[in-house]
Amino acid sequence: MYLYEIRDTLQATVLCGEEALDREVRSACASDFMSDVLAYVKDQGLLLTGMVNPQVVRTAEMMDMKCIVFVRGKLPGPDIVELARERDIVVMRSALRMFIACGLLYSRGLAGE
Amino acid sequence: MGDLKLTYQVDGGDLLQAGEASSQMKMALKKLDLPPEVIRKASICMYEGEINMVIHADGGHVEVTVGMDAITIRLVDQGPGIPDVDKAMEEGFTTAGDVARDLGFGAGMGLPNMKRYSDEMEIDTTVGVGTTVTMRIHIA
């Protein structure tokens, strides 16, 4: 699924990486616990989370993820967005709750692994 | 060609900023001709170790050696030490406080994750003196 499709599906706002929405991800992971992301993720390109802090970007960076979506309308601060921009990670926010966001993406073909 | 050695200081004060050393190591490894999976494993090991160092030991330093066959990551701190290593290795066991949990850590997954992603791991710890964790990630 292309990142612009994810944006449209989640009615999301792109906070950085607008020029990189033609990138594709094949699977996603959703968690507020970064240690769980680090434990169970393999080749997931997209992270959905309701946790807002720089460690979310660090975690995505370590896992080679391409995009972070902050759900439940969470708004990351400029420092977090800037860190992601430096690491070439696309950041979006969506007002949807985690369950709904995951369900929509899954039903449109994005896999969990 | 000799081994490449990298050293990083980890500040203890600010958990929000933790991960900078891991990020720098990852960028250094990316400049070498290493498989992406090896870089990712090394990065996760170092990152979890760095977070642990900040949560539990008020920082420390990390020595990374890139050889022909393996990346060796040595995390050295002068923290409180680990009284029961077997217990610390259990998934879900944690002594971390709310500050760590507020950032999405402190779930008792740090050391198990380091074990999971490294090919070899040794923990040398003395209560009241400090802890050295040595991890090797093979370059297959």
Side-chain angles (χ1 to χ4, degrees), chain A residues 32-44 51-65 79-80 83 86-87, chain B residues 15-20 22-24 26-27 30 36-37 40 43-44 47-48 51 91 101-107 109-110 113 116-117:
Chain A
D32 288 351
F33 246 125
M34 295 304 112
S35 282
D36 279 351
V37 177
L38 291 162
Y40 300 117
V41 168
K42 192 169 189 281
D43 290 328
Q44 277 91 335
M51 182 68 90
V52 181
N53 64 60
Q55 300 309 339
V56 173
V57 180
R58 295 286 189 209
T59 299
E61 178 192 0
M62 299 305 151
M63 306 303 288
D64 300 315
M65 288 173 154
D79 54 329
I80 297 175
L83 187 63
E86 285 170 12
R87 300 302 188 268
Chain B
L15 192 53
L16 270 180
Q17 300 308 320
E20 184 59 33
S22 304
S23 181
Q24 285 179 23
K26 180 157 194 172
M27 282 191 270
K30 275 184 171 176
E37 186 61 28
R40 188 191 302 176
S43 302
I44 297 168
Y47 182 52
E48 287 280 18
I51 296 284
E91 287 195 4
R101 264 190 288 279
D102 286 348
L103 290 180
F105 294 95
M109 295 298 287
N113 276 350
R116 180 178 288 123
Y117 288 104

Side-chain angles (χ1 to χ4, degrees), chain B:
Chain B
M1 198 181 77
D3 292 350
L4 174 68
K5 288 185 193 299
L6 306 160
T7 305
Y8 302 96
Q9 292 299 318
V10 177
D11 291 335
D14 191 356
L15 192 53
L16 270 180
Q17 300 308 320
E20 184 59 33
S22 304
S23 181
Q24 285 179 23
M25 183 199 72
K26 180 157 194 172
M27 282 191 270
L29 294 181
K30 275 184 171 176
K31 289 179 185 159
L32 307 172
D33 189 22
L34 293 166
E37 186 61 28
V38 170
I39 296 176
R40 188 191 302 176
K41 284 162 71 177
S43 302
I44 297 168
C45 288
M46 168 114 168
Y47 182 52
E48 287 280 18
E50 189 181 348
I51 296 284
N52 267 354
M53 243 180 194
V54 177
I55 294 175
H56 298 288
D58 197 28
H61 76 274
V62 188
E63 300 156 17
V64 179
T65 309
V66 185
M68 291 298 289
D69 304 325
I71 299 170
T72 305
I73 300 171
R74 196 161 166 265
L75 302 139
V76 184
D77 72 57
Q78 276 83 49
I82 306 170
D84 186 340
V85 173
D86 288 340
K87 194 83 188 157
M89 289 304 302
E90 286 177 14
E91 287 195 4
F93 176 80
T94 184
T95 58
D98 290 344
V99 177
R101 264 190 288 279
D102 286 348
L103 290 180
F105 294 95
M109 295 298 287
L111 281 172
N113 276 350
M114 289 154 71
K115 176 96 178 164
R116 180 178 288 123
Y117 288 104
S118 60
D119 294 296
E120 300 165 53
M121 183 166 102
E122 293 157 26
I123 301 175
D124 181 9
T125 185
T126 306
V127 172
V129 177
T131 300
T132 298
V133 180
T134 307
M135 294 173 285
R136 264 179 291 279
I137 296 96
H138 297 163
I139 303 169

Side-chain angles (χ1 to χ4, degrees), chain A residues 29-103:
Chain A
C29 151
S31 181
D32 288 351
F33 246 125
M34 295 304 112
S35 282
D36 279 351
V37 177
L38 291 162
Y40 300 117
V41 168
K42 192 169 189 281
D43 290 328
Q44 277 91 335
L46 171 69
L47 172 63
L48 297 115
T49 188
M51 182 68 90
V52 181
N53 64 60
Q55 300 309 339
V56 173
V57 180
R58 295 286 189 209
T59 299
E61 178 192 0
M62 299 305 151
M63 306 303 288
D64 300 315
M65 288 173 154
K66 295 174 184 164
C67 179
I68 301 166
V69 177
F70 291 99
V71 296
R72 302 196 289 271
K74 296 290 175 72
L75 182 61
D79 54 329
I80 297 175
V81 176
E82 190 51 38
L83 187 63
R85 193 194 312 275
E86 285 170 12
R87 300 302 188 268
D88 197 28
I89 297 169
V90 176
V91 176
M92 305 183 197
R93 72 184 289 227
S94 169
L96 298 176
R97 282 170 292 150
M98 181 80 99
F99 182 79
I100 306 290
C102 293

